[in-house]
Amino acid sequence: MELLRFATAGSVDDGKSTLIGRLLYDSKQIFEDTLEALEHSSRQRGEEGVNLALLTDGLRAEREQGITIDVAYRYFATPRRKFIIADTPGHIQYTRNMVTGASTADLALILVDARKGIVEQSRRHAFLASLLGVPHLVLCVNKMDLVDYEESVFRAITDEFREFAAKLDVRDLAFVPISALKGDNVVERSPNMPWYDGTSLLHHLESVHIASDRNLIDCRFPVQYVIRPRDDRFHDYRGYAGQIASGTYKTGDEVVVLPSGFSSTIESIDTADGPVDEAVPPMSVTIRLADDLDVGRGDMICRPNNRPNVGQDIEAMVCWFSERTTLSPGNKYALKHTTRWARALVRDLHYRLDVNTLHRDESATSLSLNEIGRVTLRTTVPLFYDEYRRNRSTGSFVLVDEATNDTVAGGMIIGPTQ
Amino acid sequence: MQRLISHLDALEAESIHLIREVAAEFERPVLLFSGGKDSVVMLHVAKKAFWPAKLPFPVMHVDTGHNFPEVLQFRDSVVERLGVRLVVASVQESIDRGRVVEDTGPRASRNRLQTTTLLDAIEEHGFDAVMGGARRDEEKARAKERFFSFRDEFGQWDPKNQRPELWNLYNGRHRKGEHIRVFPLSNWTELDIWQYIADEQIELPSIYFAHRRPVFRRDGMLMAVTDFLRPLEHEEVFEATVRYRTVGDATCTAAVESTAVTLDEIIAEVAASRITERGATRADDKFSEAAMEDRKREGYF
């Protein structure tokens, strides 16, 4: 059974929580005691029936304020797939949650209200999904029951969205007309919309092809930990443990280790279950090399004829997460990239991007909470990186405030500074 | 060129990555091990992460003193086989030293007292990373938890002020006295845990499998009669065939009626179950909507 991670986005009233509740409920993942607790809370609020939206509000403050503050993770499975939902709040002030949820997602699900059509927030979510390189996008036009299941309403919305999405880097786009409340086209095809010839949302989630989204070409193995048992049985064992970031590694492959540049061949790819002939992402393995080299955490094992960029001057898009501080040229941060920590100096802020209009404000001098901009960074040590669009693992980094240790930004690498 | 990775392989790879990050970036990590199924799986994954080397950190059991004897025996045999150091943090000692005051009465539980014992042990041993087997599917406050979860110098969790966690780039930076809780099994569900136990043929304490024992019914749940938990006068003791879905403090962990004696039978039962494991077996979570959130804020597991 395959694993699909998806992020949902929408505003409070788009019915996102109702949709998630519906997916969980109809796939029988809501348990009776949870339902009982929901019924109880719904009654206390004077609501009739069960408010499925309450299911995703986990914290006291969220229930009190009636809003979702933080990303919540939900799980459900069908006989075909296991799903992890990153449920991200839709409020404007919580863009960082959407970015967080989208960073690991195979698919982003965006909800719009059929009565309202595409709003600023729908565009913003679609943009963030494309910025974070989410390979598949699904636009759910919800509340179709409130527009009499009219095909023309659905068509107008999809046409408008398609036009906007053409400006973005969206690889796969699908549209589903639904009613989360009534269940139309969520799990089963709805008889109320005979004009719709696509599949139900759940069927789409079960069948969308994700196996080839991984980068199986560029071999990148960031060394995470060196395994040296130093006991009698494994006296000379020296293995480089890590998770395959991208590419396909095979026993006998000629490899080169960065930063030293020394070459060797793969003697064995070990796991606790025995050696494997071939390793692909996201496997966690231990690589042994034929030669005795000095290799440590933060080094990278790749192929001699396909190397990442190596450099200290980097162009990147960053999304700023801190409420307390701003990003300005001259600031320094700790930077984590693959298994490597460095320090980074912000040399330049080129522009701030308006996530609603995609307008670039070149007069900007700083980025504050939830703002996105293009920066030039200089790092203390070279990074082994790729363009984010080609490689989400070696193209991403986070910035950490050295005074507070807070994670203050997520970054996506564009390339070397020219 | 499909190379499909099964969901359990993907979850295991993610957990191995997390545990290796902990070993690489912290000075004094520890892994919490109670003998419960989640901590057994976490320990198994940790063992695989460093194979053929031994675990590069000790394991710790927060012992309420109210254990099922089968579980204690199991704990000791696993620890001995692995050749790993076991730290026992004792709630009884915390009581004896006057760090906590024990509740009295028939419904007294040491569950909440564990927080003080845990935090004291973390401080005493200078642990800077504490790995726990909690899962996000267990409970709604846990659903908002990070893989690397920051704790301040009081061991407190601030759910409204959590560090954003993107890709697989974990930020474990902290000052002296603060620590990080790490949850390598965050993305696993109860069913995943059982399927993995079956696939990997992992040994478990015997009380997870159906057996006969004297029980009584309290608040709709079946409680075992033990040295620590006695029925009230009106609570009738009877023999039943039961098993445990979770294993915790004997005073607040309930059994479920079951005839499942094999892993396959348990998996079939879990897959068909309509009640969450905490709802079915944990008296401590019935207090209020925010019981777990409140305990977690104070520094609970």
Side-chain angles (χ1 to χ4, degrees), chain A residues 32-33 60 75 82 278, chain B residues 3 187 192 274 276 294:
Chain A
E32 277 167 17
D33 53 325
R60 187 194 292 280
Y75 304 84
K82 171 183 162 116
E278 186 179 280
Chain B
R3 293 192 192 89
N187 277 332
D192 296 331
R274 304 298 304 133
T276 63
D294 292 343

Side-chain angles (χ1 to χ4, degrees), chain A residues 17 38 41-42 45 47 51-58 63:
Chain A
S17 300
L38 277 183
S41 332
S42 303
R45 287 153 187 270
E47 291 165 3
N51 183 351
L52 289 175
L54 293 177
L55 194 68
T56 53
D57 296 333
R63 284 189 299 276

